[in-house]
Amino acid sequence: MTLALDETSQLSDDVLLVRYGNGDLTAARVLAARLTPRLMGYAVRVLHDQAEAEDVVQETMLRLWKIAGEWRQGEAKVSTWAYRVTMNLCTDRLRKARGVGMDEVPEPADDSPSAEAQIQTSARVAALHSALGDLPDRQAQAVGLRHLDGMTNPEIAAIMDVNVRAVESLIARGKRALAAALGSRRSELGFEDEQ
């Protein structure tokens, strides 16, 4: 039985995936619309390449659709599983491209309305990405998932396959390292008036 789109959009990710496994294409569309933007944001931030990020997210969704028929509700969150697959695929692509440094990859285009805001935002983003790139991989992943993707520490722990205390430690060390790296650039980045 296929539900109407507005009824389907109220269902949990688990239920949507099971329904897709049983042939409900509306459930697949709703779940893809829910997951894809967040996965894209993460992949673009890590890979600094829109096309590569699109490939990673497409591969993640293909893998999700392949396992839909065997998905067992309650064992894992669909979003956690998808983030973990996306994170692993991004890591694999970065390892293959080790010859190109993270700082050499161009930033994605910013759609800010004014040129001044765009320049300021670009400088801040570049500084943050540069500082994140200098962090150990696990710290950068934890900080990014928490503060850029808005995930909770338990969700990050599930994605990274560590306990919550390890996530808290990774985030705290990462934030201290970022503050040290960016602290001397407050005026340059336009934060001189901010506390």
Side-chain angles (χ1 to χ4, degrees):
M1 176 177 115
T2 302
L3 296 174
L5 183 60
D6 46 330
E7 293 172 322
T8 303
S9 64
Q10 303 302 316
L11 300 174
S12 71
D13 293 350
D14 281 348
V15 171
L16 289 171
L17 187 57
V18 169
R19 291 186 69 83
Y20 169 70
N22 292 326
D24 185 346
L25 296 180
T26 301
R29 282 192 291 276
V30 170
L31 186 57
R34 214 179 265 176
L35 294 176
T36 301
R38 292 176 66 200
L39 297 176
M40 270 300 292
Y42 175 81
V44 166
R45 190 174 65 254
V46 171
L47 297 173
H48 301 267
D49 184 311
Q50 182 77 23
E52 288 284 319
E54 288 172 1
D55 289 347
V56 163
V57 172
Q58 182 177 16
E59 178 63 26
T60 299
M61 296 309 290
L62 286 173
R63 290 183 184 190
L64 184 62
W65 302 144
K66 285 179 184 176
I67 63 143
E70 293 125 31
W71 187 264
R72 291 190 297 262
Q73 288 179 282
E75 288 188 15
K77 286 179 67 176
V78 173
S79 60
T80 300
W81 182 94
Y83 261 97
R84 179 175 282 170
V85 170
T86 301
M87 184 176 73
N88 290 338
L89 290 170
C90 287
T91 299
D92 291 345
R93 285 182 185 247
L94 291 173
R95 284 183 184 142
K96 287 179 186 173
R98 282 277 189 219
V100 177
M102 291 293 283
D103 294 333
E104 297 171 49
V105 178
E107 291 293 322
D110 185 8
D111 296 329
S112 296
S114 75
E116 183 179 339
Q118 189 173 21
I119 291 168
Q120 187 69 57
T121 299
S122 292
R124 289 176 177 179
V125 167
L128 178 61
H129 282 288
S130 176
L132 278 171
D134 291 339
L135 292 179
D137 288 343
R138 303 291 278 175
Q139 286 180 20
Q141 289 169 349
V143 169
L145 289 170
R146 179 71 180 110
H147 294 288
L148 300 175
D149 290 322
M151 297 192 134
T152 65
N153 289 353
E155 289 173 323
I156 297 167
I159 290 167
M160 296 182 71
D161 199 23
V162 296
N163 64 43
V164 174
R165 291 188 73 199
V167 168
E168 292 168 352
S169 175
L170 287 167
I171 292 171
R173 288 182 302 182
K175 285 171 62 175
R176 281 193 302 271
L178 286 174
L182 297 173
S184 64
R185 299 182 65 191
R186 288 181 63 79
S187 177
E188 170 192 345
L189 297 173
F191 290 113
E192 65 277 348
D193 296 329
E194 298 178 24
Q195 296 299 331

